[in-house]
């Protein structure tokens, strides 16, 4: 909650000049801890399992946070000039009582976190940039997080650093 409140405040305070905002939400994660609010209570009633309810409530909270960021960018009139990226650092895990099989968290992919199968190392990556990225567009081009640095350099119209791993994915976006 604190990270999201501060992110929304940052957007308000920086709306009049270029900015870079990185929100490192830790939801969902190994510690299946979430406020016992109405969202959590609804999932407890649905799953009859507090660990599954906590996981589902964490996912719902993250979804709400991302929605609030997108809505704030929209309200501030920044949507056409703001690239929003959403991703994860790894696939689902078993820690903390999490049950990736129950939620089918790896989808059709084999494996989970720490596996070198696609279910452990391939994660969602969503890019939203109205007027630049066509809604619903899909790319199958593989890339990794180290490709974001040269992408951000290109977006900022500064020379891309030489002799580093990674390439700009801006043409793909």
């Amino acid at each position: 909650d604190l990270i999201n409140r501060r992110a929304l405040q940052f957007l308000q305070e920086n709306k009049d000049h270029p900015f870079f905002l990185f929100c490192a939400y830790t939801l969902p994660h190994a510690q299946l801890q979430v406020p016992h609010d109405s969202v959590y209570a609804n999932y407890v009633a649905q799953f009859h399992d507090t660990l599954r309810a906590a996981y589902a409530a964490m996912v719902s909270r993250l979804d709400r946070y991302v929605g609030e960021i997108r809505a704030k960018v929209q309200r501030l009139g920044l949507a056409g000039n703001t690239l929003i990226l959403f991703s994860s650092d790894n696939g689902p895990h078993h820690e903390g009582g999490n049950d990736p099989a129950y939620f089918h968290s790896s989808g059709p992919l084999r494996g989970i976190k720490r596996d070198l199968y696609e279910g452990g190392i391939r994660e969602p990556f969503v890019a939203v940039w109205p007027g630049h990225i066509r809604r619903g567009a899909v790319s199958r081009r593989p890339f990794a997080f180290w490709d974001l640095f040269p992408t951000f350099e290109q977006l900022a119209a500064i020379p891309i650093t030489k002799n580093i791993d990674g390439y700009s994915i801006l043409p793909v976006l």
Side-chain angles (χ1 to χ4, degrees), residues 76-87:
L76 293 172
L78 303 173
N81 197 29
T82 302
L83 172 61
I84 298 177
L85 305 175
F86 176 86
S87 192

Side-chain angles (χ1 to χ4, degrees), residues 78-133:
L78 303 173
N81 197 29
T82 302
L83 172 61
I84 298 177
L85 305 175
F86 176 86
S87 192
S88 177
D89 60 346
N90 50 251
H93 59 80
H94 277 298
E95 290 87 4
N98 186 37
D99 185 0
Y102 181 82
F103 288 105
H104 198 57
S105 298
S106 294
L109 306 176
R110 178 174 52 160
I112 61 172
K113 182 178 179 176
R114 295 186 187 86
D115 288 338
L116 294 180
Y117 297 115
E118 287 193 358
I121 59 175
R122 201 170 144 185
E123 66 277 333
F125 184 88
V126 178
V128 176
W129 194 8
H132 300 273
I133 299 173

Side-chain angles (χ1 to χ4, degrees), residues 2 16 31 39 53-54 57-58 61-62 76 89 106 113 117 129 158 170:
L2 179 62
D16 296 322
Q31 290 295 79
V39 175
M58 292 172 104
R61 278 182 113 70
L62 178 59
L76 293 172
D89 60 346
S106 294
K113 182 178 179 176
Y117 297 115
W129 194 8
I158 60 176
L170 190 57

